[in-house]
C-alpha cells in the first residue's frame, strides 16, 4: 500500500521573545513540538502549520516564528488565521506562495494527493471580531483549483472550522461562509477530508457529508466547555500535532500530544 505522511501543527501563537501567551512560552513549545515531530517522523512528505502563526501579528513575532522553522527535515507550508497579519507575514516570508491578490493560498502535491491550503483571515475585522471569511476572490481561486484537480485525491485545509463545535463562543467567531464552502466542496467527489484549527482542541465531525478534523494548538488548549460563550479559554493540557496518513484506502488521522 502506498502511504504518504503529512504533519499538521496549528495555532502556534508565537509572541515576541520574553513575552508569554496565556502563561505559556509559545515559541519554546513550538520548538519542542517541531523537535518531537522531526525526531519521530523524519519521513513525512511535508508539514502544514494551519494559521494563527503569531499572537499579535507583529514583525518581531514573525521573525521569532521563522527562527523556529530552521533546519527541519521536511518542507513547511504556512497558512494564516485570525491572529495573523497578512502584510507582515508577506514581509517576513516574501517567497511564500500566494495569490495575485496577496491571499496566502496554495496547492501542495503529495503523490496522488493534493492539499489545498486556504486563507480565511479577514483583515476587515468585520463583526464578529476574529471570525473568518473566504471572499469571492478566494472562493473563485478554490473553484479553479478544484476544477484543475480532477486526477487528484483532495484534502482541504482552512483555519476556521466549517463545522459547529458547540463551543458557542468559538462558533460565534467561526467561518462566516462555511455553508458556501462546504456546498462547493461537496460537489466534487474527490474531496476526502477537511482539516482546521482555531478551536485549540481535537475535534472530529461531519459537515455536508464531509469529514472534518480540528487539531489542538502547539500552545494553549481549550477545555471541554460545551455551550461556553467565552472565547478566552485555556487549560494545562499538553500541546499536540497531527499526523495525516494518505493512502490507497483513504485518510487516517492521529493526534500526538507533547509529553
Amino acid at each position: 500500500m502506498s502511504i504518504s505522511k503529512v504533519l499538521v501543527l496549528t495555532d502556534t501563537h508565537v509572541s515576541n521573545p520574553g513575552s508569554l501567551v496565556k502563561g505559556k512560552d509559545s515559541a519554546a513549545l513550538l520548538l519542542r513540538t517541531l523537535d518531537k515531530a522531526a525526531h519521530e517522523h523524519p519521513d513525512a512528505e511535508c508539514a502544514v502549520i494551519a494559521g494563527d502563526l503569531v499572537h499579535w501579528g507583529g514583525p518581531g513575532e514573525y521573525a521569532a516564528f521563522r527562527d523556529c522553522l530552521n533546519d527541519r527535515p521536511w518542507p513547511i507550508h504556512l497558512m494564516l488565521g485570525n491572529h495573523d497579519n497578512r502584510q507582515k507575514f508577506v514581509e517576513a516570508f516574501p517567497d511564500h506562495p500566494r495569490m495575485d491578490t496577496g491571499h496566502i493560498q496554495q496547492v501542495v502535491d503529495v503523490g496522488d494527493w493534493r492539499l489545498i491550503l486556504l486563507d480565511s483571515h479577514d483583515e476587515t475585522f468585520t463583526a464578529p471580531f476574529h471570525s473568518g471569511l473566504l471572499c469571492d476572490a478566494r472562493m473563485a481561486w478554490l473553484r479553479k483549483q478544484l476544477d484543475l484537480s480532477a486526477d487528484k485525491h483532495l484534502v482541504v485545509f482552512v483555519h476556521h472550522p466549517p463545522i459547529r463545535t458547540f463551543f458557542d463562543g468559538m462558533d460565534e467567531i467561526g467561518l462566516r461562509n462555511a455553508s458556501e464552502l462546504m456546498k462547493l466542496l461537496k460537489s466534487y467527489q474527490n474531496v476526502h477530508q477537511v482539516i482546521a484549527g482555531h478551536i485549540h482542541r481535537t475535534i472530529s465531525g461531519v459537515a455536508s457529508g464531509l469529514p472534518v478534523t480540528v487539531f489542538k494548538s502547539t500552545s494553549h488548549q481549550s477545555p471541554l466547555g460545551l455551550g461556553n460563550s467565552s472565547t478566552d479559554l485555556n487549560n494545562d493540557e499538553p500541546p499536540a500535532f497531527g499526523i495525516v496518513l494518505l493512502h490507497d484506502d483513504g485518510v487516517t488521522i492521529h493526534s500526538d500530544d507533547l509529553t
Side-chain angles (χ1 to χ4, degrees), residues 35-142:
D35 287 346
K36 175 180 171 69
H39 176 71
E40 296 181 357
H41 305 282
D43 59 335
E45 298 283 346
C46 65
V48 175
I49 305 184
D52 281 2
L53 309 177
V54 301
H55 194 60
W56 299 110
E61 294 177 317
Y62 281 113
F65 171 79
R66 188 178 57 225
D67 289 345
C68 294
L69 309 185
N70 292 332
D71 301 320
R72 301 302 170 183
W74 7 254
I76 301 176
H77 306 288
L78 306 177
M79 297 168 53
L80 297 191
N82 46 292
H83 278 262
D84 287 301
N85 179 294
R86 190 172 291 111
Q87 182 57 42
K88 298 303 181 186
F89 171 86
V90 170
E91 292 170 4
F93 296 94
D95 297 326
H96 195 277
R98 59 186 185 271
M99 297 169 53
D100 292 342
T101 57
H103 295 105
I104 310 304
Q105 300 199 147
Q106 64 171 317
V107 297
V108 178
D109 285 341
V110 180
D112 293 333
W113 291 78
R114 175 166 289 172
L115 316 180
I116 300 181
L117 313 185
L118 301 177
D119 175 355
S120 60
H121 171 66
D122 179 18
E123 70 273 17
T124 67
F125 297 109
T126 302
F129 187 65
H130 282 302
S131 62
L133 180 71
L134 295 169
C135 64
D136 290 346
R138 282 171 278 184
M139 288 295 291
W141 178 93
L142 171 59

